[in-house]
Amino acid sequence: MKHLKHLYLLIHVLREMQADSYPMDSFYPLTMEVLRDAMADVRYIASEFGRDWEEGVEIIFSEKPRLASQMIHLNRVILSGEVDNPVRASSLLGTALPLFREFYATVREKLEEF
């Protein structure tokens, strides 16, 4: 899956952005763009598992329903435009990165089952 590989790469980019040396003050618009790209990959991948992407996330995280609701909420926050400064972007990155990692790992497991 092309989008799964792309998400994997974006997870590594986000991890680097989360490092202490990353100047969030000047590059938070770039961080938000990478978060939007990663979320687009999540929506695309999840839509392959259900009738729509939200149902797909619920199927992917069927054993972890709390993560499904967190991912759906994360999408709303990322797309809302309410994250408009470096502090909020840094906080969002801290929330999003583990969720993206868990999504990637769970999708990989599900694909290996087939």
Side-chain angles (χ1 to χ4, degrees):
M1 283 185 118
K2 183 175 107 176
H3 288 274
L4 192 60
K5 288 178 184 176
H6 189 249
L7 178 61
Y8 177 80
L9 294 173
L10 291 177
I11 288 170
H12 285 286
V13 169
L14 290 168
R15 188 173 8 164
E16 288 299 315
M17 290 177 162
Q18 195 176 37
D20 292 338
S21 61
Y22 185 75
M24 185 63 77
D25 288 345
S26 55
F27 291 107
Y28 86 89
L30 176 62
T31 301
M32 290 307 302
E33 191 60 38
V34 174
L35 286 169
R36 281 189 287 274
D37 281 354
M39 196 68 234
D41 285 337
V42 166
R43 287 191 307 269
Y44 183 89
I45 294 163
S47 69
E48 298 288 317
F49 287 83
R51 290 179 301 208
D52 60 26
W53 82 269
E54 288 183 5
E55 181 183 73
V57 165
E58 290 169 355
I59 291 169
I60 291 166
F61 285 140
S62 60
E63 296 176 17
K64 305 168 192 174
R66 185 169 165 240
L67 293 179
S69 62
Q70 288 176 346
M71 185 65 81
I72 292 167
H73 177 72
L74 178 65
N75 179 66
R76 290 184 187 123
V77 171
I78 289 173
L79 296 180
S80 72
E82 66 187 49
V83 178
D84 59 357
N85 64 56
V87 173
R88 285 184 172 175
S90 180
S91 176
L92 184 62
L93 177 58
T95 301
L97 187 54
L99 207 51
F100 288 148
R101 284 180 177 158
E102 186 66 29
F103 178 84
Y104 175 82
T106 304
V107 169
R108 291 284 305 201
E109 286 176 18
K110 292 208 178 282
L111 291 175
E112 288 173 4
E113 290 174 5
F114 291 119

